[in-house]
Amino acid sequence: MKNAKQMRATFLLLLTAVIWGLAFVAQEVGAEYLGTFSFNGIRFLLGAVSLIPVILLFEREKMSGGKWKKLLGSSLVAGTVLFSASALQQYGVQLGTPAGKAGFITGLYTVIVPILSLVLFRRRTHLFVWAGALLAVAGLLLLNLDEHFNLVIGTGECCLIAGSVMWAVHILVIDKFVESVSPLKFSMGQFIVCGAESMVCALLWEEITLSAVQAAAVPLFYGGIMSVGVAYTCQALGQKDSDPTVAAIVFSMESVFSVIGGVLILHAHMAWQAYAGCGLIFAGIVIAQLSPGQKSQTKDESLTGANSAA
């Protein structure tokens, strides 16, 4: 029975990674019709709405006024960081960075988290993390070599790298707040904040038309309902019977599925050295997650961990 539960959990976690990986394809397609803030604003608000039935199922308990105040404050902080991370990511994709490449660059946040923990909070970082970081940097260099082996790092790649740093900050922010708030309500709150801030920026600097929204309906639906609502529910159910380290490694497959989605759906092409770079980054991510003695996520933290393609 235990093995059956673990197999079911692994399947749900892998399904989550597939949905998140393919979300990069949705972001690339959506960027053809909507600006960065418009796309993010609509999809995050849509994603927040999609969490309502999940919250009614898992978190129906009533909260006191003090808990609501803490929830609102933490949602505001986390949502603002999420806004920054998602905007940098989407803008990097909008500037022409392919979905697969964007997925692997974004995946660097897994290696950046323990490094930031060391710098900001003096938390011990194991040698495995540094080895993973070196592999990831080497992979990033290969990923940005063109067919003539010239290093090409454009504005889009720079935005994605900055975005991966913000995703790492987002995880650290979640680590600070998650133990004192309801995880699903906290997630919905930060999605609302992120969506609202994105829509304000969209109204100030972008033009939103009904025809553009209709043209981007499928990417918006996928990015909002599938990437947030469905994937989040699968993550919650899967991590109930899974070890956090195993879950983190399975989630790192997200970047692999972003490449597969780009090749199969968008017919994307990368030079062989770029694929080699993807392999090094993936190896670095896995090695960093295997660090012995590294702090394990709590179950509630796991349920609200940053989804880089949420």
Side-chain angles (χ1 to χ4, degrees):
M1 181 66 69
K2 185 177 179 180
N3 289 335
K5 283 186 176 181
Q6 290 177 342
M7 289 179 62
R8 173 178 172 272
T10 302
F11 171 77
L12 289 172
L13 296 176
L14 186 61
L15 180 60
T16 302
V18 172
I19 294 174
W20 284 348
L22 295 180
F24 284 97
V25 175
Q27 288 178 245
E28 184 174 340
V29 176
E32 297 177 5
Y33 306 102
L34 291 170
T36 294
F37 298 120
S38 305
F39 184 78
N40 278 348
I42 296 172
R43 76 184 180 102
F44 273 105
L45 291 176
L46 188 61
V49 172
S50 73
L51 281 183
I52 292 176
V54 183
I55 290 174
L56 292 176
L57 182 63
F58 290 104
E59 292 182 2
R60 290 184 292 182
E61 74 280 2
K62 294 182 179 180
M63 297 197 307
S64 63
K67 287 187 176 181
W68 274 112
K69 184 177 180 180
K70 186 174 292 186
L71 176 65
L72 292 174
S74 58
S75 296
L76 180 61
V77 174
T80 300
V81 177
L82 178 61
F83 160 76
S84 301
S86 59
L88 285 166
Q89 183 190 74
Q90 183 63 21
Y91 190 57
V93 172
Q94 188 171 347
L95 289 176
T97 308
K101 189 176 184 180
F104 271 96
I105 293 177
T106 299
L108 291 173
Y109 76 84
T110 308
V111 179
I112 295 172
V113 167
I115 295 176
L116 284 182
S117 295
L118 173 66
V119 174
L120 298 177
F121 307 113
R122 304 301 180 187
R123 291 177 182 170
R124 183 181 177 184
T125 302
H126 197 274
L127 184 62
F128 277 28
V129 173
W130 296 111
L134 289 175
L135 280 175
V137 170
L140 184 62
L141 292 175
L142 280 176
L143 188 61
N144 287 284
L145 291 178
D146 63 16
E147 295 181 357
H148 302 289
F149 292 90
N150 296 314
L151 184 62
V152 180
I153 301 180
T155 305
E157 286 79 7
C158 289
C159 285
L160 287 162
I161 293 171
S164 68
V165 174
M166 292 308 299
W167 286 119
V169 172
H170 184 243
I171 289 179
L172 295 177
V173 169
I174 288 173
D175 185 51
K176 178 177 177 61
F177 291 123
V178 74
E179 293 183 2
S180 59
V181 295
S182 301
L184 293 174
K185 291 174 183 173
F186 170 58
S187 289
M188 182 178 179
Q190 67 171 339
F191 290 148
I192 292 174
V193 171
C194 177
E197 290 179 350
S198 297
M199 288 307 298
V200 169
C201 292
L203 293 173
L204 289 174
W205 295 306
E206 295 175 353
E207 181 181 354
I208 309 174
T209 63
L210 180 59
S211 59
V213 173
Q214 290 175 335
V218 174
L220 285 171
F221 176 85
Y222 189 92
I225 303 298
M226 294 297 294
S227 185
V228 176
V230 175
Y232 198 93
T233 303
C234 289
Q235 180 191 19
L237 294 174
Q239 288 196 208
K240 282 185 176 181
D241 301 306
S242 178
D243 179 79
T245 301
V246 174
I249 294 173
V250 174
F251 287 152
S252 69
M253 290 293 291
E254 168 190 351
S255 54
V256 176
F257 290 115
S258 70
V259 171
I260 294 174
V263 171
L264 296 181
I265 300 174
L266 302 177
H267 307 292
H269 170 72
M270 294 191 297
W272 68 267
Q273 58 266 29
Y275 288 108
C278 289
L280 286 178
I281 292 175
F282 180 67
I285 291 171
V286 173
I287 288 174
Q289 292 292 340
L290 290 175
S291 303
Q294 185 175 327
K295 178 187 175 185
S296 296
Q297 292 174 302
T298 64
K299 183 160 291 187
D300 284 349
E301 177 189 343
S302 299
L303 298 182
T304 53
N307 165 18
S308 60

